[in-house]
Amino acid sequence: MTTIFTPLTLKNGTTIKNRFAKAALSETLGNKNYQPTKELISLYQKWAQGGTGLLITGNVMVDRNARGEYGNIVVDHQQDLNLLKKWALTGTTNDTKIFMQLNHPGKQSPKTISKEPVAPSAVPMTGSNGFAFNTPRALSIEEIKQIINKFIEAAAIAQQAGFSGVEIHAAHGYLLNQFLSPHDNQRNDEYGGTLENRMRILTEIYTGIREKVGRDFPIALKINSSDFRSDGFSEEDSLQVIQKMDQLGIDLIEISGGNYENPKMQGIGKGAFFIDYAQKVKQTISTPIIVIGGFNTATGMENAIQNNETDFIGLARPLVMVPDLPNQLKWGNFTSVKLHHLTTGSKKLDKKVGSLIGLSFYQQQMLRIAEGKAIQHTTNAWGALLFSLKHQGLSALMPQRDKE
């Protein structure tokens, strides 16, 4: 397992000590003022001590009036810089790097949080979870400029607090993904229509942050390989956006979606599609990439690095179940991780609350890690559901996003 522990230096000179990257997870460990709690800080200390080279935080929102879910952290001038400094300090122990993931939910802000969410266009959420979201209002150009400035401001605060870098979240159906998608973005001004216009908000956020923080501070991008819908953000679009960001000087690109080791797990061939896509990306850009999804064996992780199919192994839920996975692998104590399929015992109920069960279980385990307790290994979903209800009340039963 030598390759996976080889350091990698980004284009701007920042060196990541190994090829493990903790991808963003929804920790929901912010307090009522949207600040980091001692539990959140403790959680990241455990991950840093566990040997992961790069930690990417869960969603940090750039506007306290536009949040995606309960427990989000918000970074703006009202934030307590001392708490952010503590978070950054613990996340950089053991020669670890920590990137703050910056996000705006757009229309993907549930009714329990936003009476009138904003989006590129007034296109409502659809699908089985659509009922949980109010129809958005289209942003004015002036408001788009304000959001761009909020991303820039948040990045500057992250740098001041001691974070190693930032990641711009343009995936998973959030605001920047909405701008990129022709389904969600039906504007006819300079921020809509052609792909160049649809990506304008992203390029302006990047260039604005770069101008503010300088070349030595890494900026990463999280982007979908595709939205997997006929009228959405396509593979071709994604590749062009990635190539443009590569040309502009982005330091790291995280590609989300699909399943690496077991394509069948995703259904409809998305896994195989995604592997092919990641390889296409690698052939056309010089920026290092993170591939996330489906890594659960030591052999699969090592092979992906050795075969140059990705530069970093993106791990989310496996690092909840095994917080010191990199250390264990280094010491020869890790071969694979099993992610549990939780059930209430009722197929009908599982179908209704399946996404909530998964999110709640891992949020519950992250809190246990923070408190120094052992991870629970179970297939019983009721503990996770009760945990969510205890922390969020009945609002927990409302979907908080279109998909994970």
Side-chain angles (χ1 to χ4, degrees):
M1 292 295 167
T2 54
T3 315
I4 205 164
F5 290 100
T6 305
L8 190 145
T9 300
L10 305 181
K11 286 191 281 190
N12 71 346
T14 299
T15 299
I16 313 294
K17 69 177 181 180
N18 60 39
R19 306 306 182 86
F20 292 101
K22 184 204 80 69
L25 281 153
S26 175
E27 314 101 348
T28 62
L29 287 173
N31 65 21
K32 64 181 180 181
N33 296 316
Y34 322 124
Q35 298 168 332
T37 56
K38 68 177 192 286
E39 289 82 8
L40 182 71
I41 292 165
S42 172
L43 173 63
Y44 276 81
Q45 186 169 34
K46 296 287 195 330
W47 274 325
Q49 290 168 343
T52 299
L54 173 62
L55 303 176
I56 300 173
T57 73
N59 278 329
V60 170
M61 297 299 172
V62 300
D63 185 346
R64 61 187 53 232
N65 297 312
R67 304 183 317 281
E69 60 198 318
Y70 160 86
N72 278 154
I73 307 294
V74 177
V75 167
D76 56 20
H77 283 309
Q78 297 177 58
Q79 179 59 269
D80 186 328
L81 195 63
N82 288 323
L83 287 172
L84 290 177
K85 284 181 176 179
K86 287 181 181 177
W87 190 11
L89 186 63
T90 56
T92 52
T93 56
N94 194 25
D95 194 26
T96 311
K97 298 292 188 289
I98 181 170
F99 286 12
M100 182 187 286
Q101 184 184 82
L102 304 179
N103 197 7
H104 187 297
K107 67 179 176 182
Q108 199 163 256
S109 181
K111 286 179 179 178
T112 52
I113 293 177
S114 293
K115 288 183 179 179
E116 189 182 52
V118 295
S121 305
V123 179
M125 295 278 278
T126 56
S128 59
N129 290 336
F131 73 94
F133 303 87
N134 287 319
T135 299
R137 173 180 62 78
L139 288 159
S140 68
I141 287 183
E142 183 182 353
E143 288 174 319
I144 292 171
K145 300 292 187 187
Q146 289 170 357
I147 288 171
I148 291 167
N149 286 332
K150 285 181 184 294
F151 272 91
I152 296 167
E153 177 184 283
I157 294 170
Q159 183 183 39
Q160 188 182 355
F163 283 81
S164 313
V166 292
E167 179 180 71
I168 303 167
H169 196 341
H172 295 181
Y174 292 110
L175 182 69
L176 300 185
N177 189 188
Q178 292 162 30
F179 267 93
L180 290 170
S181 168
H183 170 81
D184 295 311
N185 184 348
Q186 298 176 10
R187 302 177 72 93
N188 55 15
D189 57 19
E190 62 263 45
Y191 289 98
T194 65
L195 180 59
E196 182 182 1
N197 284 352
R198 284 185 278 123
M199 74 167 89
R200 189 180 305 278
I201 187 172
L202 174 59
T203 58
E204 289 184 354
I205 286 170
Y206 169 74
T207 54
I209 292 175
R210 179 61 75 207
E211 190 175 318
K212 191 87 170 180
V213 302
R215 185 65 212 142
D216 295 338
F217 189 69
I219 306 172
L221 170 69
K222 184 169 189 171
I223 190 167
N224 280 356
S225 59
S226 165
D227 288 346
F228 300 112
R229 61 184 300 163
S230 59
D231 62 344
F233 185 57
S234 67
E235 176 192 351
E236 293 76 18
D237 285 351
S238 179
L239 194 58
Q240 287 185 55
V241 173
I242 287 172
Q243 289 167 346
K244 176 66 174 178
M245 297 302 287
D246 174 62
Q247 292 163 12
L248 289 175
I250 199 88
D251 296 298
L252 185 62
I253 295 171
E254 179 184 355
I255 302 168
S256 188
N259 183 297
Y260 188 89
E261 288 185 275
N262 190 351
K264 293 178 183 176
M265 291 291 288
Q266 291 293 318
I268 327 175
K270 286 183 187 176
F273 175 99
F274 184 65
I275 293 167
D276 292 343
Y277 178 75
Q279 290 173 334
K280 285 180 189 175
V281 169
K282 284 283 291 175
Q283 291 166 8
T284 61
I285 64 170
S286 60
T287 305
I289 67 168
I290 302 173
V291 169
I292 180 174
F295 288 110
N296 52 27
T297 70
T299 303
M301 296 173 196
E302 179 69 13
N303 286 346
I305 299 295
Q306 279 189 348
N307 297 338
N308 197 33
E309 290 161 337
T310 182
D311 298 292
F312 291 94
I313 302 298
L315 299 171
R317 292 179 173 186
L319 279 173
V320 176
M321 301 311 291
V322 189
D324 61 344
L325 189 155
N327 283 349
Q328 287 204 25
L329 199 153
K330 195 170 191 177
W331 300 329
N333 298 331
F334 173 83
T335 53
S336 65
V337 58
K338 183 179 180 182
L339 303 180
H340 302 291
H341 174 70
L342 281 79
T343 177
T344 61
S346 163
K347 287 184 179 179
K348 192 175 180 181
L349 185 57
D350 285 353
K351 191 174 182 181
K352 282 191 173 182
V353 297
S355 60
L356 170 64
I357 289 169
L359 286 169
S360 300
F361 175 75
Y362 287 96
Q363 287 164 359
Q364 182 185 28
Q365 302 316 307
M366 283 187 278
L367 181 57
R368 292 182 69 85
I369 294 168
E371 293 175 341
K373 297 176 182 176
I375 294 297
Q376 293 172 318
H377 293 273
T378 180
T379 58
N380 189 326
W382 286 103
L385 281 175
L386 291 172
F387 170 84
S388 196
L389 286 167
K390 178 184 175 183
H391 285 78
Q392 300 181 49
L394 291 175
S395 65
L397 298 176
M398 292 282 279
Q400 295 178 329
R401 62 191 79 183
D402 186 35
K403 57 185 175 181
E404 263 189 77

